[in-house]
Amino acid sequence: LSLPTPPAQLPYVPQVSPMALLGKVTATTFALERPRCVFDGHADASDAVWLAVAFANASAAFRNPPSRADVPPYKQLPTTHSYMTLETAAAAFSCSAPSPPVLRVGSDTACRDQGRQDPCNGPLPSPGPYRVKFLLMGCGGPKAETRWSEPILLRTAVSPSTIDPAPARHGSAVVVIASILASLGAVLATAVLGALGAKVWGSLCRRGLGTDAFIRRSYRTHHIPPTLPQPLRPGCGCGPPGLCCSAPQPSAPCQTI
């Protein structure tokens, strides 16, 4: 019997997605970059791509399963230190396939709770670190595989008992600087308010002076003394023909002596 052909070694190295994502790496999951155009030329329409997940110190001991029936399941991770998940048709990783840019590892909480036997994408039980690789499998077993990734370390949850509820104490220099800045702010605010008040007060004064002057001018017009009668000059004779200078009425005719 001939030995099975070893899978082709692909130069692609899996990595955590370089995109800016919320929750890219959490305490139980991480977002992996989706490989594209990696398996073209090696995959057939019936082939599938799997993701092998192993603890970083156990990746060297991982052995590719000879068939789908021998794929290590998720529930054996604590004992075998590796499992395979995310079975996907190879066509979904082709260059022309419209697909999401990332693969979320550890996002399926249902398989952990229900204890399913088939491979699942369950939450990762510890921070790791982990290594992953993609494996192309056909009906006759593995056909191509990528390299192992660099170690991927998950976040560690912080215990509430380790959080200090007391506010952090600042040094005396920080307190002095804060006091100086507060004082400068108060002085600046006072100066601005004073300038605005002076401007408003000056405007009101100018309006008041104009009003008083108008009232004083109007008041003088009502207290002009009446014009006194002018005395007659002595020796005043008749003025123009028909008028008498000493007559009380300018239009009275002059009498002949």
Side-chain angles (χ1 to χ4, degrees):
L1 296 176
S2 60
L3 295 176
T5 304
Q9 301 295 314
L10 304 177
Y12 179 78
V13 178
Q15 63 175 350
V16 174
S17 175
M19 299 175 59
L21 301 172
L22 292 176
K24 183 189 301 186
V25 177
T26 67
T28 57
T29 67
F30 60 89
L32 197 64
E33 181 185 54
R34 188 184 189 95
R36 296 190 61 191
C37 310
V38 174
F39 307 103
D40 291 358
H42 300 275
D44 296 328
S46 59
D47 295 344
V49 175
W50 290 76
L51 180 70
V53 183
F55 285 103
N57 56 2
S59 59
F62 180 83
R63 297 294 179 265
N64 294 331
S67 65
R68 188 187 186 282
D70 301 314
V71 167
Y74 164 78
K75 66 178 183 178
Q76 294 183 3
L77 176 61
T79 56
T80 62
H81 308 296
S82 62
Y83 71 101
M84 292 177 62
T85 184
L86 294 178
E87 180 184 13
T88 308
F93 297 99
S94 63
C95 296
S96 59
S99 57
V102 296
L103 299 172
R104 174 71 64 174
V105 181
S107 61
D108 187 6
T109 58
C111 61
R112 180 188 63 179
D113 299 336
Q114 298 175 4
R116 287 162 32 187
Q117 296 297 322
D118 57 314
C120 71
N121 186 24
L124 299 171
S126 68
Y130 300 91
R131 289 180 184 267
V132 297
K133 73 173 182 178
F134 290 98
L135 182 63
L136 175 66
M137 293 187 65
C139 298
K143 298 176 63 176
E145 64 180 351
T146 67
R147 297 180 181 180
W148 286 99
S149 68
E150 295 296 326
I152 300 173
L153 183 65
L154 304 186
R155 295 184 179 275
T156 304
V158 178
S159 175
S161 60
T162 61
I163 300 176
D164 186 7
R169 294 184 177 90
H170 300 286
S172 58
V174 176
V175 174
V176 171
I177 293 175
S179 302
I180 293 175
L181 292 177
S183 301
L184 290 177
V187 171
L188 180 61
T190 304
V192 171
L193 291 177
L196 291 176
K199 184 176 181 180
V200 173
W201 180 257
S203 177
L204 292 177
C205 288
R206 286 194 297 272
R207 292 182 181 180
L209 288 175
T211 304
D212 293 342
F214 176 77
I215 293 174
R216 285 195 296 270
R217 287 195 298 268
S218 301
Y219 180 79
R220 291 193 190 99
T221 56
H222 290 282
H223 292 77
I224 298 175
T227 305
L228 296 178
Q230 299 294 328
L232 295 176
R233 295 190 300 270
C236 179
C238 291
L243 294 179
C244 180
C245 295
S246 60
Q249 296 293 334
S251 58
C254 186
Q255 296 179 4
T256 302
I257 301 175

